[in-house]
Amino acid sequence: MDTSGAPQRVRVTADPDWYAPAGIALGIRVGDLVFTSGQGPMDEHGTTVGKGDFEAQARQALANLALVLKNAGSGLDRVVKATVFVTDIARHGEAFARLRAEYFVPHTFAESFVEVSSLADPEWLIEIEALAVAG
């Protein structure tokens, strides 16, 4: 029994858990806060989808993020901070702005939109992590 008074850390999973083979959690819930790992454009079997297609990859990453949040007792509408990593802001920024408006309603959260030279898989064009409120 934990008597420290600290909130318990609970691993967020899915069935199947596409990050389990890598030894990392899809997310962690601590009290009413949910911290997700970066969600990329991979299906439930760990296969990258939409190779070369930014919108397909972004939709898959957003679907993965939504599922992780749901499994933690939260949702896209409860996100308070998102960090979006893309490999080419000039090329994909406008497309992601459209998808953000479609998936995040209301759009009332803090966000960092960052260009990186590479992601966890060299075929990925986008990865998204979030902090959300559960409960």
Side-chain angles (χ1 to χ4, degrees):
M1 173 188 246
D2 181 6
T3 58
S4 69
Q8 183 179 9
R9 293 167 29 136
V10 177
R11 181 185 182 111
V12 180
T13 62
D15 186 23
D17 186 331
W18 52 90
Y19 280 177
I24 61 174
L26 292 171
I28 297 290
R29 181 171 169 170
V30 181
D32 285 338
L33 295 178
V34 179
F35 302 83
T36 73
S37 290
Q39 298 301 311
M42 60 193 327
D43 66 17
E44 67 275 8
H45 305 293
T47 303
T48 298
V49 300
K51 294 178 183 174
D53 181 340
F54 178 81
E55 185 164 336
Q57 287 197 7
R59 286 185 182 281
Q60 183 66 50
L62 287 161
N64 290 347
L65 180 62
L67 179 62
V68 172
L69 291 171
K70 177 183 172 200
N71 289 355
S74 188
L76 292 175
D77 61 328
R78 311 280 320 254
V79 168
V80 295
K81 171 70 168 86
T83 305
V84 181
F85 303 96
V86 296
T87 56
D88 191 335
I89 286 177
R91 233 174 115 197
H92 305 304
E94 192 175 304
F96 188 75
R98 285 192 316 273
L99 293 170
R100 179 191 308 113
E102 179 181 335
Y103 281 81
F104 292 100
V105 179
H107 180 69
T108 53
F109 59 90
E111 178 184 274
S112 297
F113 195 62
V114 182
E115 181 172 310
V116 295
S117 61
S118 182
L119 292 162
D121 182 313
E123 294 180 327
W124 290 7
L125 303 173
I126 185 169
E127 186 172 341
I128 306 168
E129 65 182 25
L131 169 61
V133 178

